[in-house]
Each structure stands twice: as C-alpha cells, then as structure tokens.
Amino acid sequence: QVQLVESGGGLVQAGDSLRLSCAASGFTFSSRDMGWFRQAPGKERESVATIKWRGGTAYYSDSVKGRFTISRDNAKNTMYLQMDSLKPEDTAIYYCAAAWSGDTDSYGYWGQGTQVTVSS
C-alpha cells in the first residue's frame, strides 16, 4: 500500500533553516506528482509547494516563494523541502502528499505530518 513518511521537522528560531524529507513506497514514485502542504492551528490546510513528475516543474505558494525549495530524488523515492529564512508564520504541521495516479494532479495520499515550529 502507499506509504508516505515525513521527517525533519523541529523547533527552530526565525531565520534558521530546516530540510524536510518524505520517503515514499507502495507506488511508482517517479511517475507521480508530489507536494508539500501545511496546516497551522485554526487554519485550513494549504499548498506550500508541488513538483511535477513530468519535467520536474515546481510550483510555490506566494508566501514561501524565494525561501523554500522542493526537490525529488526518484532513485531514492524521496521528496525534499528545503526551508530557509524561516518565519514564525511558517509554524504548522507539514504534510507530504502524492497524487492519486500519474494521470492527475489531484492529491489523494497523505503522510502523518511533521511539526515545524519557528520561534521569534
């Protein structure tokens, strides 16, 4: 079955960096769109960054553009999110997600999440 396991979260200070990892199994990782989403307390879940399997094009939310970088290593079935210049408003649970199939960018598989807390 599909499994997505996030790691790398933690407590950091504003301006610090973190790198999140998402280890995927149970599907053909190299032919599936992948993404990072986050949910802060009392807020809706939002897309942070996504990466296409075809061509590797990346998309970012305006709030993280220029500070976060999404990448994938198809040989390791792993996706990453490099987060630099972190701000307190980046505090949230970060979720890794995979599209339902290679024919859609609708995300249907989710990891358990990893907490990122940024102190001011």
mmCIF file of all heavy atoms in Angstrom, residues 9-61:
data_model
loop_
_atom_site.group_PDB
_atom_site.id
_atom_site.type_symbol
_atom_site.label_atom_id
_atom_site.label_comp_id
_atom_site.label_asym_id
_atom_site.label_seq_id
_atom_site.Cartn_x
_atom_site.Cartn_y
_atom_site.Cartn_z
ATOM 1 N N GLY A 9 11.186 17.688 10.772
ATOM 2 C CA GLY A 9 10.602 18.834 11.459
ATOM 3 C C GLY A 9 11.305 19.111 12.775
ATOM 4 O O GLY A 9 12.156 18.336 13.222
ATOM 5 N N GLY A 10 10.933 20.228 13.401
ATOM 6 C CA GLY A 10 11.531 20.554 14.683
ATOM 7 C C GLY A 10 11.247 21.979 15.098
ATOM 8 O O GLY A 10 10.440 22.676 14.480
ATOM 9 N N LEU A 11 11.926 22.398 16.166
ATOM 10 C CA LEU A 11 11.794 23.747 16.703
ATOM 11 C C LEU A 11 13.043 24.536 16.343
ATOM 12 O O LEU A 11 14.164 24.109 16.683
ATOM 13 C CB LEU A 11 11.632 23.679 18.223
ATOM 14 C CG LEU A 11 11.690 25.004 18.980
ATOM 15 C CD1 LEU A 11 10.553 25.920 18.555
ATOM 16 C CD2 LEU A 11 11.651 24.749 20.483
ATOM 17 N N VAL A 12 12.845 25.649 15.647
ATOM 18 C CA VAL A 12 13.970 26.486 15.239
ATOM 19 C C VAL A 12 13.629 27.950 15.506
ATOM 20 O O VAL A 12 12.479 28.281 15.813
ATOM 21 C CB VAL A 12 14.313 26.304 13.746
ATOM 22 C CG1 VAL A 12 14.769 24.874 13.462
ATOM 23 C CG2 VAL A 12 13.141 26.688 12.861
ATOM 24 N N GLN A 13 14.619 28.803 15.358
ATOM 25 C CA GLN A 13 14.403 30.240 15.517
ATOM 26 C C GLN A 13 14.177 30.888 14.150
ATOM 27 O O GLN A 13 14.579 30.345 13.116
ATOM 28 C CB GLN A 13 15.601 30.871 16.205
ATOM 29 C CG GLN A 13 15.778 30.436 17.656
ATOM 30 C CD GLN A 13 16.853 31.221 18.363
ATOM 31 O OE1 GLN A 13 17.838 31.622 17.750
ATOM 32 N NE2 GLN A 13 16.681 31.448 19.660
ATOM 33 N N ALA A 14 13.555 32.033 14.172
ATOM 34 C CA ALA A 14 13.339 32.782 12.932
ATOM 35 C C ALA A 14 14.674 33.024 12.239
ATOM 36 O O ALA A 14 15.668 33.361 12.894
ATOM 37 C CB ALA A 14 12.652 34.114 13.248
ATOM 38 N N GLY A 15 14.675 32.812 10.929
ATOM 39 C CA GLY A 15 15.890 32.977 10.152
ATOM 40 C C GLY A 15 16.666 31.689 9.929
ATOM 41 O O GLY A 15 17.546 31.633 9.062
ATOM 42 N N ASP A 16 16.348 30.654 10.699
ATOM 43 C CA ASP A 16 17.019 29.364 10.556
ATOM 44 C C ASP A 16 16.497 28.596 9.342
ATOM 45 O O ASP A 16 15.548 29.016 8.679
ATOM 46 C CB ASP A 16 16.828 28.521 11.817
ATOM 47 C CG ASP A 16 17.669 29.001 12.986
ATOM 48 O OD1 ASP A 16 18.537 29.882 12.770
ATOM 49 O OD2 ASP A 16 17.456 28.513 14.110
ATOM 50 N N SER A 17 17.119 27.447 9.119
ATOM 51 C CA SER A 17 16.725 26.567 8.011
ATOM 52 C C SER A 17 16.381 25.181 8.529
ATOM 53 O O SER A 17 16.861 24.756 9.582
ATOM 54 C CB SER A 17 17.863 26.446 7.003
ATOM 55 O OG SER A 17 18.176 27.684 6.415
ATOM 56 N N LEU A 18 15.552 24.487 7.768
ATOM 57 C CA LEU A 18 15.219 23.089 8.016
ATOM 58 C C LEU A 18 15.059 22.405 6.667
ATOM 59 O O LEU A 18 14.676 23.048 5.683
ATOM 60 C CB LEU A 18 13.904 22.944 8.785
ATOM 61 C CG LEU A 18 13.878 23.048 10.303
ATOM 62 C CD1 LEU A 18 12.440 22.939 10.794
ATOM 63 C CD2 LEU A 18 14.738 21.981 10.946
ATOM 64 N N ARG A 19 15.324 21.091 6.639
ATOM 65 C CA ARG A 19 15.031 20.317 5.443
ATOM 66 C C ARG A 19 14.118 19.167 5.817
ATOM 67 O O ARG A 19 14.472 18.328 6.641
ATOM 68 C CB ARG A 19 16.294 19.784 4.781
ATOM 69 C CG ARG A 19 15.990 19.161 3.410
ATOM 70 C CD ARG A 19 17.212 18.742 2.655
ATOM 71 N NE ARG A 19 17.700 17.430 3.031
ATOM 72 C CZ ARG A 19 18.375 16.613 2.229
ATOM 73 N NH1 ARG A 19 18.627 16.983 0.986
ATOM 74 N NH2 ARG A 19 18.798 15.448 2.670
ATOM 75 N N LEU A 20 12.954 19.148 5.203
ATOM 76 C CA LEU A 20 12.014 18.052 5.398
ATOM 77 C C LEU A 20 12.246 16.995 4.323
ATOM 78 O O LEU A 20 12.601 17.312 3.186
ATOM 79 C CB LEU A 20 10.572 18.552 5.305
ATOM 80 C CG LEU A 20 10.173 19.695 6.238
ATOM 81 C CD1 LEU A 20 8.689 19.998 6.070
ATOM 82 C CD2 LEU A 20 10.510 19.382 7.678
ATOM 83 N N SER A 21 12.015 15.757 4.714
ATOM 84 C CA SER A 21 12.107 14.634 3.773
ATOM 85 C C SER A 21 10.797 13.862 3.795
ATOM 86 O O SER A 21 10.108 13.807 4.821
ATOM 87 C CB SER A 21 13.246 13.690 4.155
ATOM 88 O OG SER A 21 14.490 14.339 4.120
ATOM 89 N N CYS A 22 10.474 13.262 2.656
ATOM 90 C CA CYS A 22 9.293 12.411 2.551
ATOM 91 C C CYS A 22 9.717 11.136 1.839
ATOM 92 O O CYS A 22 10.035 11.167 0.646
ATOM 93 C CB CYS A 22 8.196 13.114 1.772
ATOM 94 S SG CYS A 22 6.784 12.050 1.361
ATOM 95 N N ALA A 23 9.728 10.036 2.569
ATOM 96 C CA ALA A 23 10.076 8.741 1.996
ATOM 97 C C ALA A 23 8.798 8.062 1.513
ATOM 98 O O ALA A 23 7.848 7.885 2.290
ATOM 99 C CB ALA A 23 10.784 7.879 3.031
ATOM 100 N N ALA A 24 8.780 7.687 0.242
ATOM 101 C CA ALA A 24 7.578 7.125 -0.367
ATOM 102 C C ALA A 24 7.773 5.655 -0.711
ATOM 103 O O ALA A 24 8.887 5.231 -1.072
ATOM 104 C CB ALA A 24 7.223 7.903 -1.633
ATOM 105 N N SER A 25 6.702 4.885 -0.620
ATOM 106 C CA SER A 25 6.739 3.484 -1.008
ATOM 107 C C SER A 25 5.335 3.038 -1.401
ATOM 108 O O SER A 25 4.342 3.701 -1.076
ATOM 109 C CB SER A 25 7.273 2.610 0.134
ATOM 110 O OG SER A 25 6.432 2.710 1.265
ATOM 111 N N GLY A 26 5.279 1.929 -2.124
ATOM 112 C CA GLY A 26 3.989 1.355 -2.493
ATOM 113 C C GLY A 26 3.423 1.838 -3.806
ATOM 114 O O GLY A 26 2.302 1.462 -4.178
ATOM 115 N N PHE A 27 4.166 2.664 -4.535
ATOM 116 C CA PHE A 27 3.711 3.135 -5.836
ATOM 117 C C PHE A 27 4.944 3.568 -6.636
ATOM 118 O O PHE A 27 6.051 3.630 -6.101
ATOM 119 C CB PHE A 27 2.724 4.288 -5.699
ATOM 120 C CG PHE A 27 3.287 5.530 -5.062
ATOM 121 C CD1 PHE A 27 3.671 6.617 -5.840
ATOM 122 C CD2 PHE A 27 3.430 5.636 -3.695
ATOM 123 C CE1 PHE A 27 4.188 7.761 -5.265
ATOM 124 C CE2 PHE A 27 3.945 6.781 -3.104
ATOM 125 C CZ PHE A 27 4.329 7.850 -3.892
ATOM 126 N N THR A 28 4.710 3.866 -7.924
ATOM 127 C CA THR A 28 5.811 4.289 -8.794
ATOM 128 C C THR A 28 6.055 5.777 -8.588
ATOM 129 O O THR A 28 5.433 6.627 -9.229
ATOM 130 C CB THR A 28 5.486 3.983 -10.259
ATOM 131 O OG1 THR A 28 5.150 2.590 -10.383
ATOM 132 C CG2 THR A 28 6.699 4.282 -11.139
ATOM 133 N N PHE A 29 6.959 6.071 -7.679
ATOM 134 C CA PHE A 29 7.222 7.447 -7.259
ATOM 135 C C PHE A 29 7.595 8.341 -8.439
ATOM 136 O O PHE A 29 7.155 9.487 -8.518
ATOM 137 C CB PHE A 29 8.344 7.429 -6.217
ATOM 138 C CG PHE A 29 8.771 8.773 -5.729
ATOM 139 C CD1 PHE A 29 8.063 9.428 -4.727
ATOM 140 C CD2 PHE A 29 9.904 9.389 -6.242
ATOM 141 C CE1 PHE A 29 8.456 10.672 -4.259
ATOM 142 C CE2 PHE A 29 10.312 10.631 -5.784
ATOM 143 C CZ PHE A 29 9.590 11.272 -4.787
ATOM 144 N N SER A 30 8.394 7.814 -9.355
ATOM 145 C CA SER A 30 8.945 8.635 -10.441
ATOM 146 C C SER A 30 7.880 9.140 -11.411
ATOM 147 O O SER A 30 8.146 10.069 -12.179
ATOM 148 C CB SER A 30 10.002 7.852 -11.210
ATOM 149 O OG SER A 30 9.438 6.671 -11.751
ATOM 150 N N SER A 31 6.694 8.567 -11.395
ATOM 151 C CA SER A 31 5.649 8.986 -12.318
ATOM 152 C C SER A 31 4.413 9.493 -11.578
ATOM 153 O O SER A 31 3.279 9.248 -12.005
ATOM 154 C CB SER A 31 5.278 7.848 -13.267
ATOM 155 O OG SER A 31 4.830 6.721 -12.546
ATOM 156 N N ARG A 32 4.645 10.205 -10.491
ATOM 157 C CA ARG A 32 3.537 10.737 -9.690
ATOM 158 C C ARG A 32 3.877 12.160 -9.257
ATOM 159 O O ARG A 32 4.979 12.422 -8.759
ATOM 160 C CB ARG A 32 3.332 9.854 -8.457
ATOM 161 C CG ARG A 32 1.972 9.951 -7.821
ATOM 162 C CD ARG A 32 0.904 9.258 -8.645
ATOM 163 N NE ARG A 32 1.082 7.828 -8.724
ATOM 164 C CZ ARG A 32 0.492 6.961 -7.911
ATOM 165 N NH1 ARG A 32 -0.294 7.411 -6.941
ATOM 166 N NH2 ARG A 32 0.684 5.658 -8.072
ATOM 167 N N ASP A 33 2.942 13.099 -9.471
ATOM 168 C CA ASP A 33 3.118 14.433 -8.917
ATOM 169 C C ASP A 33 3.139 14.346 -7.394
ATOM 170 O O ASP A 33 2.389 13.571 -6.790
ATOM 171 C CB ASP A 33 1.977 15.346 -9.350
ATOM 172 C CG ASP A 33 2.023 15.702 -10.826
ATOM 173 O OD1 ASP A 33 3.021 15.359 -11.502
ATOM 174 O OD2 ASP A 33 1.045 16.329 -11.304
ATOM 175 N N MET A 34 3.992 15.172 -6.798
ATOM 176 C CA MET A 34 4.145 15.163 -5.340
ATOM 177 C C MET A 34 4.043 16.586 -4.812
ATOM 178 O O MET A 34 4.287 17.556 -5.546
ATOM 179 C CB MET A 34 5.505 14.577 -4.946
ATOM 180 C CG MET A 34 5.749 13.147 -5.375
ATOM 181 S SD MET A 34 4.729 11.974 -4.476
ATOM 182 C CE MET A 34 5.332 12.196 -2.798
ATOM 183 N N GLY A 35 3.720 16.702 -3.524
ATOM 184 C CA GLY A 35 3.607 18.043 -2.975
ATOM 185 C C GLY A 35 3.770 18.098 -1.471
ATOM 186 O O GLY A 35 3.682 17.072 -0.775
ATOM 187 N N TRP A 36 4.048 19.295 -1.005
ATOM 188 C CA TRP A 36 4.086 19.598 0.430
ATOM 189 C C TRP A 36 2.927 20.541 0.744
ATOM 190 O O TRP A 36 2.723 21.530 0.035
ATOM 191 C CB TRP A 36 5.391 20.263 0.823
ATOM 192 C CG TRP A 36 6.573 19.341 0.824
ATOM 193 C CD1 TRP A 36 7.506 19.202 -0.162
ATOM 194 C CD2 TRP A 36 6.939 18.427 1.860
ATOM 195 N NE1 TRP A 36 8.443 18.255 0.202
ATOM 196 C CE2 TRP A 36 8.109 17.770 1.439
ATOM 197 C CE3 TRP A 36 6.396 18.101 3.106
ATOM 198 C CZ2 TRP A 36 8.742 16.798 2.221
ATOM 199 C CZ3 TRP A 36 7.021 17.142 3.872
ATOM 200 C CH2 TRP A 36 8.185 16.503 3.428
ATOM 201 N N PHE A 37 2.220 20.234 1.814
ATOM 202 C CA PHE A 37 1.120 21.049 2.292
ATOM 203 C C PHE A 37 1.354 21.317 3.772
ATOM 204 O O PHE A 37 2.144 20.628 4.418
ATOM 205 C CB PHE A 37 -0.210 20.304 2.091
ATOM 206 C CG PHE A 37 -0.566 20.081 0.650
ATOM 207 C CD1 PHE A 37 0.097 19.112 -0.104
ATOM 208 C CD2 PHE A 37 -1.537 20.834 0.023
ATOM 209 C CE1 PHE A 37 -0.211 18.903 -1.446
ATOM 210 C CE2 PHE A 37 -1.859 20.627 -1.315
ATOM 211 C CZ PHE A 37 -1.191 19.663 -2.042
ATOM 212 N N ARG A 38 0.660 22.328 4.290
ATOM 213 C CA ARG A 38 0.807 22.595 5.723
ATOM 214 C C ARG A 38 -0.517 23.068 6.307
ATOM 215 O O ARG A 38 -1.371 23.597 5.590
ATOM 216 C CB ARG A 38 1.899 23.636 5.980
ATOM 217 C CG ARG A 38 1.578 25.044 5.503
ATOM 218 C CD ARG A 38 2.789 25.950 5.691
ATOM 219 N NE ARG A 38 2.502 27.320 5.264
ATOM 220 C CZ ARG A 38 3.429 28.280 5.192
ATOM 221 N NH1 ARG A 38 4.695 28.026 5.515
ATOM 222 N NH2 ARG A 38 3.084 29.495 4.805
ATOM 223 N N GLN A 39 -0.650 22.860 7.605
ATOM 224 C CA GLN A 39 -1.834 23.312 8.311
ATOM 225 C C GLN A 39 -1.431 23.893 9.652
ATOM 226 O O GLN A 39 -0.832 23.181 10.481
ATOM 227 C CB GLN A 39 -2.840 22.182 8.499
ATOM 228 C CG GLN A 39 -4.161 22.642 9.088
ATOM 229 C CD GLN A 39 -5.253 21.611 8.960
ATOM 230 O OE1 GLN A 39 -4.995 20.422 8.797
ATOM 231 N NE2 GLN A 39 -6.503 22.057 9.021
ATOM 232 N N ALA A 40 -1.732 25.163 9.834
ATOM 233 C CA ALA A 40 -1.462 25.843 11.094
ATOM 234 C C ALA A 40 -2.712 25.748 11.970
ATOM 235 O O ALA A 40 -3.820 25.558 11.467
ATOM 236 C CB ALA A 40 -1.110 27.300 10.832
ATOM 237 N N PRO A 41 -2.541 25.896 13.280
ATOM 238 C CA PRO A 41 -3.687 25.799 14.191
ATOM 239 C C PRO A 41 -4.782 26.793 13.807
ATOM 240 O O PRO A 41 -4.511 27.977 13.600
ATOM 241 C CB PRO A 41 -3.079 26.141 15.550
ATOM 242 C CG PRO A 41 -1.651 25.765 15.428
ATOM 243 C CD PRO A 41 -1.273 26.068 14.014
ATOM 244 N N GLY A 42 -6.004 26.302 13.697
ATOM 245 C CA GLY A 42 -7.133 27.158 13.386
ATOM 246 C C GLY A 42 -7.245 27.588 11.945
ATOM 247 O O GLY A 42 -8.091 28.413 11.600
ATOM 248 N N LYS A 43 -6.385 27.037 11.084
ATOM 249 C CA LYS A 43 -6.401 27.439 9.672
ATOM 250 C C LYS A 43 -6.640 26.224 8.780
ATOM 251 O O LYS A 43 -6.454 25.074 9.183
ATOM 252 C CB LYS A 43 -5.079 28.119 9.304
ATOM 253 C CG LYS A 43 -4.847 29.447 10.001
ATOM 254 C CD LYS A 43 -3.655 30.171 9.416
ATOM 255 C CE LYS A 43 -3.467 31.544 10.033
ATOM 256 N NZ LYS A 43 -2.319 32.278 9.443
ATOM 257 N N GLU A 44 -7.022 26.524 7.534
ATOM 258 C CA GLU A 44 -7.208 25.476 6.540
ATOM 259 C C GLU A 44 -5.842 24.961 6.075
ATOM 260 O O GLU A 44 -4.836 25.679 6.110
ATOM 261 C CB GLU A 44 -7.966 26.039 5.342
ATOM 262 C CG GLU A 44 -9.362 26.553 5.654
ATOM 263 C CD GLU A 44 -10.365 25.430 5.724
ATOM 264 O OE1 GLU A 44 -10.240 24.466 4.940
ATOM 265 O OE2 GLU A 44 -11.287 25.517 6.558
ATOM 266 N N ARG A 45 -5.841 23.710 5.621
ATOM 267 C CA ARG A 45 -4.621 23.196 5.013
ATOM 268 C C ARG A 45 -4.365 23.935 3.701
ATOM 269 O O ARG A 45 -5.298 24.188 2.941
ATOM 270 C CB ARG A 45 -4.762 21.694 4.750
ATOM 271 C CG ARG A 45 -3.511 21.034 4.230
ATOM 272 C CD ARG A 45 -3.677 19.532 4.186
ATOM 273 N NE ARG A 45 -4.794 19.134 3.345
ATOM 274 C CZ ARG A 45 -5.326 17.919 3.358
ATOM 275 N NH1 ARG A 45 -4.859 17.004 4.183
ATOM 276 N NH2 ARG A 45 -6.333 17.633 2.556
ATOM 277 N N GLU A 46 -3.091 24.253 3.450
ATOM 278 C CA GLU A 46 -2.738 24.993 2.243
ATOM 279 C C GLU A 46 -1.565 24.336 1.534
ATOM 280 O O GLU A 46 -0.731 23.676 2.164
ATOM 281 C CB GLU A 46 -2.362 26.441 2.596
ATOM 282 C CG GLU A 46 -1.150 26.584 3.480
ATOM 283 C CD GLU A 46 -0.708 28.029 3.649
ATOM 284 O OE1 GLU A 46 -1.222 28.921 2.944
ATOM 285 O OE2 GLU A 46 0.170 28.263 4.506
ATOM 286 N N SER A 47 -1.525 24.549 0.241
ATOM 287 C CA SER A 47 -0.415 24.040 -0.554
ATOM 288 C C SER A 47 0.797 24.919 -0.327
ATOM 289 O O SER A 47 0.704 26.144 -0.340
ATOM 290 C CB SER A 47 -0.791 24.034 -2.031
ATOM 291 O OG SER A 47 0.320 23.698 -2.826
ATOM 292 N N VAL A 48 1.946 24.310 -0.130
ATOM 293 C CA VAL A 48 3.206 25.022 0.047
ATOM 294 C C VAL A 48 4.017 24.957 -1.249
ATOM 295 O O VAL A 48 4.454 25.982 -1.768
ATOM 296 C CB VAL A 48 4.019 24.420 1.203
ATOM 297 C CG1 VAL A 48 5.390 25.075 1.298
ATOM 298 C CG2 VAL A 48 3.258 24.541 2.512
ATOM 299 N N ALA A 49 4.213 23.738 -1.749
ATOM 300 C CA ALA A 49 4.997 23.552 -2.970
ATOM 301 C C ALA A 49 4.637 22.208 -3.582
ATOM 302 O O ALA A 49 4.367 21.251 -2.860
ATOM 303 C CB ALA A 49 6.495 23.596 -2.662
ATOM 304 N N THR A 50 4.627 22.163 -4.903
ATOM 305 C CA THR A 50 4.371 20.914 -5.607
ATOM 306 C C THR A 50 5.396 20.740 -6.710
ATOM 307 O O THR A 50 5.984 21.727 -7.191
ATOM 308 C CB THR A 50 2.957 20.884 -6.210
ATOM 309 O OG1 THR A 50 2.812 21.979 -7.123
ATOM 310 C CG2 THR A 50 1.891 20.981 -5.132
ATOM 311 N N ILE A 51 5.606 19.480 -7.089
ATOM 312 C CA ILE A 51 6.583 19.194 -8.135
ATOM 313 C C ILE A 51 6.018 18.135 -9.064
ATOM 314 O O ILE A 51 5.539 17.087 -8.625
ATOM 315 C CB ILE A 51 7.933 18.779 -7.515
ATOM 316 C CG1 ILE A 51 8.994 18.575 -8.605
ATOM 317 C CG2 ILE A 51 7.805 17.526 -6.640
ATOM 318 C CD1 ILE A 51 10.413 18.540 -8.061
ATOM 319 N N LYS A 52 6.052 18.422 -10.356
ATOM 320 C CA LYS A 52 5.534 17.522 -11.376
ATOM 321 C C LYS A 52 6.496 16.374 -11.624
ATOM 322 O O LYS A 52 7.712 16.539 -11.523
ATOM 323 C CB LYS A 52 5.320 18.280 -12.677
ATOM 324 C CG LYS A 52 4.261 19.368 -12.609
ATOM 325 C CD LYS A 52 2.897 18.767 -12.488
ATOM 326 C CE LYS A 52 1.801 19.791 -12.643
ATOM 327 N NZ LYS A 52 0.445 19.172 -12.507
ATOM 328 N N TRP A 53 5.930 15.200 -11.935
ATOM 329 C CA TRP A 53 6.818 14.096 -12.261
ATOM 330 C C TRP A 53 7.355 14.243 -13.679
ATOM 331 O O TRP A 53 8.482 13.832 -13.962
ATOM 332 C CB TRP A 53 6.101 12.755 -12.099
ATOM 333 C CG TRP A 53 5.024 12.447 -13.101
ATOM 334 C CD1 TRP A 53 3.697 12.706 -12.991
ATOM 335 C CD2 TRP A 53 5.196 11.787 -14.366
ATOM 336 N NE1 TRP A 53 3.031 12.267 -14.098
ATOM 337 C CE2 TRP A 53 3.921 11.687 -14.958
ATOM 338 C CE3 TRP A 53 6.293 11.265 -15.046
ATOM 339 C CZ2 TRP A 53 3.712 11.092 -16.198
ATOM 340 C CZ3 TRP A 53 6.097 10.668 -16.289
ATOM 341 C CH2 TRP A 53 4.817 10.592 -16.847
ATOM 342 N N ARG A 54 6.542 14.850 -14.532
ATOM 343 C CA ARG A 54 6.946 15.032 -15.927
ATOM 344 C C ARG A 54 7.659 16.375 -16.059
ATOM 345 O O ARG A 54 7.048 17.427 -15.998
ATOM 346 C CB ARG A 54 5.717 14.997 -16.829
ATOM 347 C CG ARG A 54 6.035 14.732 -18.298
ATOM 348 C CD ARG A 54 4.812 14.960 -19.166
ATOM 349 N NE ARG A 54 3.664 14.127 -18.807
ATOM 350 C CZ ARG A 54 3.430 12.911 -19.297
ATOM 351 N NH1 ARG A 54 4.256 12.379 -20.160
ATOM 352 N NH2 ARG A 54 2.349 12.230 -18.922
ATOM 353 N N GLY A 55 8.960 16.352 -16.152
ATOM 354 C CA GLY A 55 9.736 17.582 -16.312
ATOM 355 C C GLY A 55 10.246 18.179 -15.017
ATOM 356 O O GLY A 55 11.143 19.021 -15.033
ATOM 357 N N GLY A 56 9.650 17.767 -13.897
ATOM 358 C CA GLY A 56 10.132 18.258 -12.614
ATOM 359 C C GLY A 56 9.810 19.704 -12.311
ATOM 360 O O GLY A 56 10.442 20.312 -11.437
ATOM 361 N N THR A 57 8.812 20.275 -13.005
ATOM 362 C CA THR A 57 8.455 21.676 -12.746
ATOM 363 C C THR A 57 7.931 21.832 -11.326
ATOM 364 O O THR A 57 7.145 21.023 -10.848
ATOM 365 C CB THR A 57 7.384 22.138 -13.740
ATOM 366 O OG1 THR A 57 7.874 21.934 -15.078
ATOM 367 C CG2 THR A 57 7.067 23.611 -13.545
ATOM 368 N N ALA A 58 8.387 22.891 -10.668
ATOM 369 C CA ALA A 58 7.976 23.158 -9.288
ATOM 370 C C ALA A 58 7.086 24.393 -9.225
ATOM 371 O O ALA A 58 7.260 25.338 -10.003
ATOM 372 C CB ALA A 58 9.203 23.350 -8.411
ATOM 373 N N TYR A 59 6.157 24.368 -8.279
ATOM 374 C CA TYR A 59 5.260 25.491 -8.044
ATOM 375 C C TYR A 59 5.277 25.804 -6.557
ATOM 376 O O TYR A 59 5.347 24.892 -5.722
ATOM 377 C CB TYR A 59 3.835 25.133 -8.476
ATOM 378 C CG TYR A 59 3.720 24.806 -9.941
ATOM 379 C CD1 TYR A 59 3.892 23.495 -10.403
ATOM 380 C CD2 TYR A 59 3.470 25.798 -10.885
ATOM 381 C CE1 TYR A 59 3.804 23.192 -11.753
ATOM 382 C CE2 TYR A 59 3.381 25.496 -12.238
ATOM 383 C CZ TYR A 59 3.557 24.197 -12.660
ATOM 384 O OH TYR A 59 3.482 23.895 -14.009
ATOM 385 N N TYR A 60 5.194 27.080 -6.235
ATOM 386 C CA TYR A 60 5.273 27.526 -4.848
ATOM 387 C C TYR A 60 4.138 28.488 -4.519
ATOM 388 O O TYR A 60 3.713 29.264 -5.371
ATOM 389 C CB TYR A 60 6.604 28.224 -4.583
ATOM 390 C CG TYR A 60 7.810 27.354 -4.803
ATOM 391 C CD1 TYR A 60 8.467 27.330 -6.027
ATOM 392 C CD2 TYR A 60 8.299 26.538 -3.771
ATOM 393 C CE1 TYR A 60 9.572 26.507 -6.237
ATOM 394 C CE2 TYR A 60 9.405 25.730 -3.968
ATOM 395 C CZ TYR A 60 10.040 25.721 -5.206
ATOM 396 O OH TYR A 60 11.132 24.909 -5.402
ATOM 397 N N SER A 61 3.725 28.466 -3.268
ATOM 398 C CA SER A 61 2.797 29.483 -2.817
ATOM 399 C C SER A 61 3.552 30.798 -2.697
ATOM 400 O O SER A 61 4.783 30.816 -2.508
ATOM 401 C CB SER A 61 2.193 29.100 -1.467
ATOM 402 O OG SER A 61 3.177 29.133 -0.458
#
